[in-house]
Amino acid sequence: MNNPFSEQITSKELIVPIHKTVFRRKESAGFLHYVKEGGVKLVRNTLEGKEVITHIAKKGEFFSEAALFETNYHCDAIAIEHSVIVRYPNEEVLRFFKENPEKAFEYIRFLSGQIRVLRKQLEVVNVVTAKDRILLFLHSEAKNGVVKISGAVKNLAGQIGLAQETVYRQLSALEQEGVIKKEGDEIKIL
Amino acid sequence: MNNPFSEQITSKELIVPIHKTVFRRKESAGFLHYVKEGGVKLVRNTLEGKEVITHIAKKGEFFSEAALFETNYHCDAIAIEHSVIVRYPNEEVLRFFKENPEKAFEYIRFLSGQIRVLRKQLEVVNVVTAKDRILLFLHSEAKNGVVKISGAVKNLAGQIGLAQETVYRQLSALEQEGVIKKEGDEIKIL
DNA sequence: CGAGTCGTTGAACGGAATCAATCGTCGTGG
DNA sequence: CCACGACGATTGATTCCGTTCAACGACTCG
């Protein structure tokens, strides 16, 4: 789904500076969100206090889709860039889908895609060695051999379940080996 | 979604003995599947040859939902019990949704639930220590304090990204500590 | 200009993967 | 009906690598 719901749904735009939260876990969930500008990470914290990034929503993507039928959010949403977020009341979205089957259909396609991404992420996290895990992640994220790091390496680490130090070290090693090339917030796969 | 699509879609029932595949990765994807009896694991194999179980579909559940819009399956589906699988042609399912908005709506709810489950799984896999990871998994799977192990401990290990030996050891340890109780293919949380 | 965050490197420890071996069980086929 | 083979369950020993703790410089933003 590329575009939000035209003008048939009352929406509200939020300006969210980097590091600020859009919503928090356990807050009552009332809205479907859309990233008009910037980026947002969806974060869960394990018992140990480790930050697990279950998803990064970039410009043009929805998030909190899974909470459409929930009463509470089950993760934190935090901006990783200065962002503009549009939010749509859940009930209106649901009503909209009921009245516009084609849109519901599109949404099904979108959700199916999300599931595929999550499965891929599960596959990545299950790779034992840090180096292979990072490589698999890079390959799965790469567009034309280039991966854009959203915000920080720390976020990358949180997505694939490694300590950030490990990621730094392995990225350096990979660069030494000539497998990748870091350039600012981009990583090229050679 | 509890029930399949009534009689409006041409379906076919498959008898699948344990360990037999329903479909394989890269095969052309044409069907949505429903577990009428038994259970199926969805499996990806990492480069290292490790088996990652991205999902276990039990009696009364759909699987290959994410492939509804795909041309090929992206994982293997293998029966973990003697199973009866019903399959529905993708195009007919899609047509059915277009003609029955309420059903499409239900399906959206179903997909949303799947996403939640996958996110939870990601959270579990990111727990560092084996013991805590197993405990979190058990808690998230438990119904009335009881977890039914689908088929084998090996499958459990594959779901949470641990070596099976580690799972055996930690389960024993947890039983020693009086935290759980193993009884056949069930684990009670105390 | 100071607080907070990210990036980076070092050192040490612990725990999970791995290799290996044994036993039990179940299904299959001769 | 029994023997064999395959697979799951279980336990032991060893190795290794990722986490963790720690420290420091760079940078950004308010």
Side-chain angles (χ1 to χ4, degrees), chain B residues 77-89:
Chain B
I78 301 173
I80 57 175
E81 300 174 49
H82 191 82
S83 303
V84 180
I85 307 300
V86 188
R87 56 184 216 186
Y88 304 93

Side-chain angles (χ1 to χ4, degrees), chain A residues 9-188:
Chain A
I9 300 183
T10 57
S11 63
K12 186 174 179 182
E13 281 197 11
L14 306 175
I15 308 291
V16 186
I18 186 169
H19 296 158
K20 296 296 176 192
T21 70
V22 182
F23 56 76
R24 288 205 169 278
R25 191 166 200 170
K26 306 232 170 164
E27 271 181 26
S28 68
F31 302 93
L32 178 65
H33 298 78
Y34 178 80
V35 183
K36 190 173 180 184
E37 211 63 56
V40 172
K41 65 178 174 183
L42 301 207
V43 176
R44 289 180 176 218
N45 288 94
T46 66
L47 306 169
E48 302 149 322
K50 190 177 163 191
E51 180 180 86
V52 181
I53 299 179
T54 54
H55 186 57
I56 288 189
K58 297 175 186 165
K59 179 177 175 174
E61 295 179 352
F62 284 100
F63 64 95
S64 71
E65 346 74 55
L68 198 51
F69 296 92
E70 298 293 309
T71 54
N72 298 292
Y73 295 113
H74 47 291
C75 59
D76 297 346
I78 301 172
I80 56 175
E81 300 173 49
H82 191 83
S83 303
V84 181
I85 307 299
V86 189
R87 58 181 214 187
Y88 304 94
N90 281 347
E91 325 87 55
E92 292 202 39
V93 173
L94 294 177
R95 184 180 48 71
F96 181 75
F97 283 150
K98 280 191 173 157
E99 291 166 3
N100 301 65
E102 331 79 46
K103 290 293 179 181
F105 198 77
E106 255 185 68
Y107 194 68
I108 288 178
R109 171 181 271 131
F110 163 70
L111 290 178
S112 300
Q114 290 289 303
I115 289 177
R116 231 177 323 119
V117 170
L118 281 165
R119 294 245 170 94
K120 185 71 191 176
Q121 206 170 338
L122 263 178
E123 186 186 347
V124 169
V125 171
N126 269 283
V127 171
V128 182
T129 64
K131 191 179 280 182
D132 288 347
R133 194 187 302 184
I134 292 172
L135 271 179
L136 183 54
F137 175 79
L138 291 177
H139 276 119
S140 71
E141 290 278 301
K143 284 172 185 166
N144 308 324
V146 176
V147 179
K148 247 196 157 177
I149 296 181
S150 312
V153 172
K154 194 189 166 192
N155 289 332
L156 194 161
Q159 269 182 97
I160 59 180
L162 290 174
Q164 44 175 325
E165 295 96 325
T166 307
V167 175
Y168 287 126
R169 281 187 248 266
Q170 295 300 335
L171 282 178
S172 304
L174 286 168
E175 193 161 17
Q176 292 271 314
E177 294 168 20
V179 183
I180 63 169
K181 181 113 183 75
K182 274 198 286 182
E183 282 176 7
D185 66 342
E186 287 190 350
I187 297 178
K188 281 189 183 175

Side-chain angles (χ1 to χ4, degrees), chain B residues 43-59:
Chain B
V43 175
R44 290 180 174 219
N45 289 95
T46 66
L47 305 169
E48 302 150 318
K50 191 178 162 192
E51 179 180 87
V52 181
I53 299 179
T54 54
H55 185 58
I56 288 190
K58 297 175 186 165
K59 178 176 177 176

Side-chain angles (χ1 to χ4, degrees), chain B residues 129-130 165-166 169:
Chain B
T129 63
E165 296 96 325
T166 308
R169 279 187 251 265

